[in-house]
Amino acid sequence: MTLQNDLQAAFGFLNQGRFKQALKQSKAGMKRHKSQPDFPNIAGISLSGLGKHREAVPHFKKALALAPGFHDARKNLAQTLLFLQQGETAMKLLDRVLADLPADQGALYLKAQAQLVQNDPEAAIATASGALARDGKQPRMLRLRAMAWKNLGDEKAALEDYQATLRLNPDDVDALTNISLPLARLMRQDEATEAAHKAVALAPDNLEARRRLASQLISNGETEAARAQCLAILDLDPKDSQVLEMLARLNSREQNAELLPVAQKALKAAPPRSLDRANVSFALARISDQSGDKHAFAAHNDEANACMAAQNPYDYEDSERQFSRIMAAFPEVIRPADTAPDGPRPIYVVGMPRSGTTLTETVIGLHPEVFPLGERGVPAFLLHPYLDKDQEFTPSAARNFAAEDISRLPEMPAGTAAYVDKMPDNYRLLGHLLTAYPNARFVHLCRDPRDVALSIWRGYFSGSSLTYAYDLKAMAHRFNLYGRLMRHWRQVMPGRIHDLRYESLVSDIESESRKLAEFCGLDWVADMAHPERHKGQVLTLSNTQVRQAAHSRSVGKWEKYADVLAPFIDGLDPEVWSEIKG
């Protein structure tokens, strides 16, 4: 065959997405036309399309060796390196392309991608904004910038970029899928659900769209509809580990008995210490727990957490430094700003994850003048420089923080007197928050740490923000830091923190909700004693429990698993946890 015929055949298969055939054709072309760089380039693209990114790299390098000015191959190599999370090496390749072709939109897109891989969303935004200034009609660049805004905790900016994408193409499935979460976090529940439904209607085989819809339906309390989406995903991919974990949480005992062989088969296919193995093991732990098999539950749960710990190891020294820095920044009684910012006052519900923060937010949020916002990541994003650096939180810094924080709040109904932010980890920020918001209220959930640890150990937390959750010794270390910090806040914030015992709340919710209302400056209403009346979305692991009447079934549950929790219990500092270690 001639060179032209070989190239046409290889490109034809590639354009059809028939990567195996394109690879075979390109390898034959390499043998017949040894100096032609297009064939190794096509081979690299084909291997990458088959998910064999490491095998693709030598082919792109061969193409560049044959033609050093072949920038398409250089961009393909950069993209493949980004799949392999090698952002720095990819950036060097892209800088060379942009030195010759500064307006190359493909290279600019990959550069912004590389900056995200290098955990520099500000740089990614700058690169994407420069490219969009030249040509604003670039859907993938808008979607990438939206992702960068999301990484910075700016849901409103992310939403604007997804909306701009949908103005270019109202049927953009990726944008519809991704816009759903910022809409949900901005409390636009119906729009979030509608966007996810539309994405699935346009692309029924798109697993990411169905996962997002299932998650939103769970948040809405539509359990059966969520199960239907999960089952549809399993029909498309029986080894989808994310949906197996999700479905195991939704299923009854009988339904999980049917799911068991599917999960066992998926476990065999999951690589060791992978996220897939973690997901499937969490699902099997849930199934075993429901069936009363404590031994299997512990084994699967240990496996799941070991996989997560391997992916996201806990940094003991960094945690020590951060907590010491926080306490050193507020050595004396805190003097808040003289005047409070305009608008609804914040009520912060804090504590360790799974300590009852969602239930407490629901109780307060059932007041007609209160707007519950769930877990806002914005304060922690904005205060990051003050947590991880020795940057002074001056009065000017406090004002700037409050202004930016308020600008990112969602719209609230007329007559809203207060909003609730129930991000548990905000316990680290109490000094900064009181300085910026003198009218803020702080509710701290106190719960037996052994019950909290069990609940954390049984749950799946995505991302890398709760790395201590996957190792019982690390969990004890973090609990000790948390306990010491809360003791410090009580000393420098006298009378500003309401310590609410979870056990008291679930045993006498009316009495405790009355105390909560008084502390928050609200007139108590009867709905506050009935969290099961909550109709809004819940974006946390507690999304199913919170729609039940308050109960004490989980109090003292740790005793059944005392042997499993032994590394955690033994690691608790008796000085901090004297009530259980005395």
Side-chain angles (χ1 to χ4, degrees):
M1 293 179 70
T2 65
L3 169 63
Q4 193 61 30
N5 288 338
D6 281 338
L7 283 173
Q8 285 180 346
F11 276 120
F13 288 130
L14 192 64
N15 292 334
Q16 296 171 37
R18 297 167 66 183
F19 297 120
K20 288 184 179 180
Q21 292 89 334
L23 179 62
K24 182 178 180 180
Q25 189 69 42
S26 60
K27 284 184 174 181
M30 280 191 280
K31 289 179 180 179
R32 284 192 285 267
H33 315 284
K34 291 182 170 48
S35 63
Q36 173 52 250
D38 281 313
F39 292 111
N41 184 48
I42 295 170
I45 296 171
S46 302
L47 285 164
S48 197
L50 292 168
K52 299 178 179 181
H53 304 301
R54 292 192 186 280
E55 294 178 39
V57 170
H59 291 283
F60 293 128
K61 289 182 176 180
K62 182 176 182 179
L64 288 168
L66 291 170
F70 192 2
H71 284 323
D72 280 348
R74 188 165 280 109
K75 286 187 286 185
N76 290 333
L77 175 56
Q79 177 71 85
T80 302
L81 292 171
L82 290 176
F83 284 129
L84 297 170
Q85 298 297 299
Q86 296 181 28
E88 185 177 351
T89 308
M91 186 69 78
K92 292 176 182 177
L93 293 165
L94 296 166
D95 285 342
R96 180 167 175 184
V97 176
L98 291 167
D100 293 341
L101 304 168
D104 188 304
Q105 294 290 353
L108 288 168
Y109 174 79
L110 291 171
K111 180 178 179 179
Q113 255 194 339
Q115 288 161 333
L116 277 182
V117 168
Q118 292 177 295
N119 197 28
D120 193 351
E122 293 95 340
I125 289 167
T127 299
S129 297
L132 289 165
R134 296 188 187 94
D135 177 9
K137 295 182 178 180
Q138 296 187 73
R140 68 173 185 169
M141 192 71 84
L142 285 164
R143 292 196 303 266
L144 186 145
R145 189 171 69 175
M147 189 183 304
W149 285 122
K150 176 177 172 290
N151 288 355
L152 288 173
D154 195 336
E155 303 289 354
K156 285 186 175 179
L159 181 62
E160 288 175 5
D161 276 344
Y162 287 131
Q163 288 172 329
T165 307
L166 291 169
R167 283 194 292 273
L168 295 173
N169 176 13
D171 293 340
D172 187 314
V173 173
D174 286 341
L176 287 165
T177 300
N178 290 318
I179 199 174
S180 176
L181 187 54
L183 283 168
R185 287 179 173 164
L186 290 168
M187 312 312 290
R188 294 161 65 171
Q189 177 182 357
D190 291 343
E191 293 173 76
T193 308
E194 181 183 356
H197 268 300
K198 183 175 180 180
V200 170
L202 288 167
D205 293 346
N206 187 307
L207 297 179
E208 193 58 41
R210 284 196 180 272
R211 284 193 210 100
R212 176 64 206 125
L213 177 56
S215 295
Q216 185 59 40
L217 292 169
I218 293 171
S219 301
N220 297 349
E222 301 177 59
T223 304
E224 285 308 309
R227 280 195 75 250
Q229 289 301 322
C230 290
L231 292 170
I233 294 171
L234 282 185
D235 284 342
L236 294 167
D237 181 5
K239 296 178 183 177
D240 188 303
S241 67
Q242 291 183 52
V243 80
L244 281 169
E245 189 277 331
M246 195 183 300
L247 190 56
R249 282 190 278 120
L250 295 174
N251 276 347
S252 66
R253 178 176 174 176
E254 292 72 24
Q255 290 164 337
N256 266 338
E258 296 177 8
L259 185 64
L260 179 60
V262 179
Q264 289 172 329
K265 188 174 181 180
L267 185 68
K268 291 180 181 178
R273 291 297 187 262
S274 65
L275 290 178
D276 281 337
R277 195 167 188 86
N279 278 320
V280 179
S281 295
F282 274 124
L284 286 165
R286 166 72 174 166
I287 295 169
S288 301
D289 196 28
Q290 277 184 322
S291 69
D293 189 339
K294 177 187 169 184
H295 177 75
F297 157 75
H300 287 305
N301 214 58
D302 283 349
E303 170 76 359
N305 282 291
C307 293
M308 295 300 294
Q311 297 286 328
N312 302 288
Y314 176 65
D315 191 327
Y316 286 79
E317 292 183 2
D318 185 64
S319 295
E320 292 273 3
R321 282 193 297 269
Q322 185 186 89
F323 278 68
S324 296
R325 188 181 295 114
I326 292 169
M327 287 190 278
F330 299 94
E332 300 174 347
V333 173
I334 296 170
R335 305 193 186 286
D338 293 332
T339 57
D342 294 333
R345 67 179 178 276
I347 300 172
Y348 295 100
V349 177
V350 302
M352 293 304 283
R354 313 296 291 158
S355 63
T357 54
T358 301
L359 173 62
T360 303
E361 181 203 33
T362 302
V363 170
I364 303 171
L366 283 164
H367 192 284
E369 295 177 5
V370 175
F371 196 55
L373 297 183
E375 297 182 356
R376 293 184 69 234
V378 175
F381 278 111
L382 297 179
L383 291 170
H384 174 75
Y386 306 98
L387 298 178
D388 294 326
K389 300 176 184 176
D390 292 322
Q391 196 166 326
E392 185 181 357
F393 197 59
T394 63
S396 174
R399 287 192 296 273
N400 291 338
F401 159 73
E404 183 64 24
D405 186 39
I406 290 169
S407 74
R408 298 192 190 187
L409 288 169
E411 293 183 16
M412 302 185 211
T416 299
Y419 65 85
V420 184
D421 179 345
K422 60 129 304 197
M423 176 64 78
D425 217 31
N426 278 347
Y427 72 82
R428 298 175 304 147
L429 317 178
L430 297 196
H432 303 88
L433 296 173
L434 176 58
T435 302
Y437 293 110
N439 61 342
R441 304 292 197 272
F442 301 97
V443 179
H444 170 230
L445 265 294
C446 307
R447 185 181 179 187
D448 188 317
R450 296 164 296 191
D451 276 331
V452 177
L454 175 62
S455 190
I456 291 175
W457 190 241
R458 291 154 60 105
Y460 170 60
F461 298 90
S462 60
S464 58
S465 60
L466 297 177
T467 54
Y468 61 86
Y470 317 124
D471 182 296
L472 289 167
K473 290 182 179 179
M475 204 187 301
H477 182 263
R478 188 69 169 206
F479 271 57
N480 291 336
L481 292 177
Y482 148 75
R484 293 185 194 114
L485 182 57
M486 287 310 306
R487 185 169 58 189
H488 176 76
W489 290 138
R490 293 187 190 98
Q491 293 171 352
V492 299
M493 298 171 57
R496 301 304 298 257
I497 301 171
H498 177 63
D499 287 315
L500 172 61
R501 288 215 63 84
Y502 172 81
E503 293 83 359
S504 300
L505 178 64
V506 295
S507 65
D508 188 356
I509 193 165
E510 179 173 334
S511 175
E512 293 301 324
S513 65
R514 286 181 181 275
K515 295 175 187 176
L516 261 179
E518 182 180 1
F519 176 78
C520 294
L522 304 167
D523 294 326
W524 182 81
V525 296
D527 276 352
M528 295 177 72
H530 295 279
E532 71 276 8
R533 294 176 183 174
H534 174 73
K535 301 299 182 185
Q537 66 180 3
V538 181
L539 297 170
T540 70
L541 276 176
S542 303
N543 40 40
T544 53
Q545 298 102 310
V546 78
R547 293 186 171 88
Q548 305 170 10
H551 60 80
S552 58
R553 291 192 296 271
S554 61
V555 173
K557 199 169 184 177
W558 70 270
E559 294 179 7
K560 180 181 177 183
Y561 300 95
D563 54 339
V564 176
L565 295 173
F568 170 80
I569 297 170
D570 293 343
L572 291 176
D573 184 342
E575 182 184 348
V576 177
W577 304 102
S578 56
E579 72 272 20
I580 69 165
K581 300 284 281 189

